[in-house]
Amino acid sequence: MTDPQPCRVIGVLDDGAASLSATALAFLRRADWVIGGARTLALLDDDIAPHAIRRDLTGQLSAVPGWIAQAREAQQTSVVLATGDPLCHGIASYLAARLCIAAIEVLPNVSTLQLACARFGVAWQDARIVSVHSKDAGEWQAGTAPGHGLYALAQAVRQHERLIVLTSPDNSPDRIARLLLAEGLGDDFVLCVAERLCSPHERTWADMPPAEAALHRFADPNVVLLLRTTARPRPVCLGLADSAYQQRQPDKGLITKQEVRAVSLARLQLRCDSRVWDIGAGSGSVGLEAARLCPQGHVWAIEKNEADAAIARQNARALGISNHTLVHGKAPEGLDAWPDPDAIFIGGSGGELADLIALCLRRLRPGGWLVMNFVTLENLATATQTLQALGATWDVLQLQAARSKPILHMHRMAAENPVWIVCAQPGDGA
């Protein structure tokens, strides 16, 4: 049923009343309540009725539904002023989720994203839109976990050729450029920045290398286009050769071998958004391939050996993986700060195996799997006895691969060491 007096959510550009249709302007001029940011209210000051109640929503977004409700209860008309298209990372979806959907009517304008693309002649139908229009996220560091305000952007630059980024005064174009540099993508993108669109002070900057943009301060508000200048890699997601990873020298070999890695990853039952723990990361091979298999998820890894942790970080950078956080430490220390996982891999326990298994089974999310690799009978025995005592559901797979090797003009099979793969889930009483 149509609401006879909805709140009109009107998209506005920085040329003020000139950006509005006759219908939108009429609604604004007749409104009893006008809600908007301080800058937008000032921009349209001459078109707001003298009797209208004005509310500045800056820093008070949560109050807006209440203000609209007050106007409706008083049988008064209300208008919310938004930027561009209120349904594109704008306030309209926020209001629709908190009011009856029929209580608002959206009058969109051209979005600032469209305008920025038009200024640079960039088609945007296949671009990825990312918003960092939020509170100060701080500078990006490689290996940062989800929760950082630039995390979604750090993942998107790995997966898309064109990105349109809605910025904020703190999460600015120069900070975005430094993110690209931190991720080793300084030679793979250029930035196009459109400042103060539709205002007398509009200015555009085209095809700026990240190293240059990182040192420049841009006028606010602005929109950033990130355009890839090199072919986007199409990496192997599962089953990389052992030689693809750096490993400790001279005692090379601290790595889960390709065959064991493939089976272990299969038993982890990963999804695109899985949260994964990698305990005893070694060279990082299992966790890094898990990160590739979970592009919308994240991997938290821990390694007690400082040299191995450094190698794992080098592997993450070389493989172009950004949804992977590595901690130098000894499990279970620090695991309480990690979110509950969908899957856990244990490649090394540092002598705390029984306690670690108990902790992992407690923390696993419903349906999650714990997968462990062992090469010694003692650790295998400890694991199975602990699982039995905890009432877990478990099974063991012994895997022993043999690889062909040349001998004179022929080939022989050389056996790898046997590995036990133990897979477990919490029992009904766990």
Side-chain angles (χ1 to χ4, degrees), residues 337-426:
W338 293 1
D340 289 348
D342 300 291
I344 302 174
F345 176 75
I346 296 180
S349 65
E352 310 290 339
L353 184 56
D355 291 341
L356 194 54
I357 290 173
L359 182 151
C360 289
L361 291 177
R362 286 196 307 270
R363 294 289 303 277
L364 268 176
R365 298 177 75 190
W369 281 93
L370 168 63
V371 176
M372 300 173 280
N373 286 179
F374 301 113
V375 295
T376 68
L377 291 167
E378 288 77 10
N379 279 343
L380 174 64
T382 298
T384 54
Q385 290 167 11
T386 301
L387 292 170
Q388 190 72 26
L390 292 171
T393 301
W394 57 274
D395 64 86
V396 179
L397 167 70
Q398 178 180 302
L399 188 64
Q400 183 169 18
R403 298 180 178 181
S404 63
K405 297 202 174 193
I407 177 172
L408 299 176
H409 61 283
M410 295 176 287
H411 291 78
R412 66 179 180 87
M413 298 303 294
E416 299 286 339
N417 289 329
V419 176
W420 290 281
I421 301 175
V422 180
C423 306
Q425 289 186 303

Side-chain angles (χ1 to χ4, degrees), residues 195-269:
E195 304 174 334
R196 297 175 173 175
L197 287 163
C198 292
S199 79
H201 307 291
E202 177 178 314
R203 186 174 184 182
T204 58
W205 305 80
D207 300 332
M208 294 186 72
E212 178 184 341
L215 303 175
H216 188 90
R217 189 63 188 174
F218 297 88
D220 190 71
N222 56 67
V223 176
V224 174
L225 307 186
L226 298 180
L227 307 179
R228 181 173 273 279
T229 56
T230 61
R232 184 163 62 92
R234 299 174 59 218
V236 172
C237 293
L238 175 67
L240 273 72
D242 297 342
S243 58
Y245 297 95
Q246 295 185 50
Q247 300 166 49
R248 192 198 303 173
Q249 299 287 352
D251 48 340
K252 184 173 180 177
L254 191 63
I255 185 172
T256 302
K257 296 295 193 297
Q258 183 185 48
E259 299 83 1
V260 177
R261 192 187 327 135
V263 174
S264 297
L265 286 164
R267 291 302 306 269
L268 285 169
Q269 297 289 283

Side-chain angles (χ1 to χ4, degrees), residues 17 24-32 46-49 51 79:
L25 197 55
F27 283 135
L28 173 62
R29 288 170 174 168
R30 293 199 302 265
D32 299 310
D46 293 340
D47 295 287
I48 300 174
H51 73 274
V79 160

